[in-house]
Amino acid sequence: MTIKEEQKKIIEAATKFARAFHENDVTGHDWWHIHRVVAMTERLAKEEGADQFVSLIAALLHDVADEKLNDSKEAGIRNVEDWMLSQQIGTEDREHVIEIISRMSYNGGKNPPMRTLEGKVVQDADRLDAIGAIAIARCFLYAGFTGDQIYDPSLAPREMMTKEEYRNGKSTAINHFYEKLLKLKDRINTVSGKRIAEERHRFMANYLEQFHLEWDGRV
Ligand code: ADP
Ligand code: NI
């Protein structure tokens, strides 16, 4: 589905809005994360035949509503809603974008699954940014931000954890791979996304193998 002229203008406005919102973020939700998710969304939407406009708007705004960057999840959603109301976006598209964004986050895998192809595409694009070479960099950046260490062999990766433990419990950057990043490839919705996830997953697995060998002074 191609994009109409007036939709292009709304996408440009959404880009400006998201860029201003994320400009100074240091929590792994900086503007370049959004930029990459948008680029991947564009690719997946084409490959999967999803509506480009809804997918791109949802990708651009998905972290504007992030719970961690707002007073509450509801406040985040309201922020996105208010912005969309200030634009010429039809009710149906607005509701669709809100539905996608409210189901987006990983939330320990507890959110309801994406209902629409557009939602599946945007969620895949977001998850793909947490798998692979860039994901490794984001993980260590985030760990540094929260004061976690690179690795501590005395701290085992946690199997089950509450949302509170996931956010605030003591862990390490390397444990985060086992607690979340290596699980993501099995949570990809689309065939095109899955192909990319598998390649990136392999890269991360190789990285971890090398990491552990170096840790023990074996290579
Ligand atoms: P999302 O908003 O996509 O659900 P998060 O807010 O959980 O993602 O994480 C943003 C980035 O920071 C991701 O790349 C994620 O892997 C990384 N990250 C999140 N929690 C941790 C953690 N405890 N240790 C290291 N990296 C983390
Ligand atoms: Ni995101």
Side-chain angles (χ1 to χ4, degrees):
M1 221 177 294
T2 50
I3 295 185
K4 302 190 197 90
E5 264 325 297
E6 64 263 31
Q7 292 181 324
K8 258 192 204 149
K9 291 218 173 71
I10 300 173
I11 289 169
E12 270 166 33
T15 306
K16 271 198 193 131
F17 176 64
R19 189 164 190 154
F21 185 88
H22 292 286
E23 200 81 84
N24 300 314
D25 186 278
V26 288
T27 67
H29 299 88
D30 58 286
W31 161 250
W32 296 113
H33 162 65
I34 312 301
H35 168 88
R36 295 188 299 268
V37 172
V38 168
M40 182 56 78
T41 293
E42 197 168 357
R43 171 176 170 187
L44 294 180
K46 269 192 198 123
E47 291 181 13
E48 297 286 325
D51 181 287
Q52 288 269 345
F53 178 69
V54 166
S55 305
L56 288 174
I57 293 291
L60 279 161
L61 302 180
H62 82 275
D63 275 337
V64 169
D66 192 287
E67 207 175 347
K68 296 183 289 311
L69 311 178
N70 290 279
D71 293 338
S72 64
K73 189 166 180 176
E74 294 69 34
I77 294 288
R78 216 171 314 119
N79 192 8
V80 171
E81 234 161 12
D82 288 347
W83 184 84
M84 286 197 293
L85 279 167
S86 74
Q87 305 291 316
Q88 304 289 326
I89 304 178
T91 315
E92 204 179 308
D93 284 351
R94 277 203 319 268
E95 285 173 356
H96 192 176
V97 168
I98 291 295
E99 178 185 322
I100 294 173
I101 290 177
S102 36
R103 291 179 188 210
M104 270 299 275
S105 86
Y106 179 72
N107 199 13
K110 291 188 194 72
N111 276 351
M114 281 296 175
R115 186 180 60 84
T116 62
L117 181 59
E118 289 71 24
K120 290 181 176 146
V121 158
V122 182
Q123 190 172 51
D124 280 1
D126 191 37
R127 288 187 172 161
L128 282 167
D129 206 46
I131 315 176
I134 291 172
I136 295 173
R138 286 181 83 202
C139 177
F140 287 106
L141 184 75
Y142 189 101
F145 171 72
T146 59
D148 281 351
Q149 288 194 304
I150 295 175
Y151 182 46
D152 179 350
S154 72
L155 284 177
R158 300 162 294 177
E159 279 305 324
M160 296 288 286
M161 48 193 155
T162 62
K163 198 170 163 191
E164 191 52 32
E165 283 164 348
Y166 171 67
R167 281 289 162 220
N168 305 319
K170 196 166 166 43
S171 192
T172 65
I174 289 296
N175 280 5
H176 186 64
F177 285 87
Y178 300 98
E179 291 172 356
K180 177 176 169 186
L181 306 186
L182 292 172
K183 294 179 179 167
L184 288 173
K185 81 161 171 40
D186 295 325
R187 299 184 155 274
I188 297 291
N189 305 298
T190 66
V191 176
S192 324
K194 189 105 192 151
R195 215 172 291 133
I196 302 166
E198 268 158 13
E199 211 157 294
R200 291 185 178 191
H201 180 95
R202 213 164 15 245
F203 184 88
M204 275 197 317
N206 288 342
Y207 171 81
L208 285 171
E209 198 186 317
Q210 174 79 11
F211 183 97
H212 290 298
L213 288 171
E214 289 185 18
W215 190 267
D216 296 325
R218 286 166 40 204
V219 291

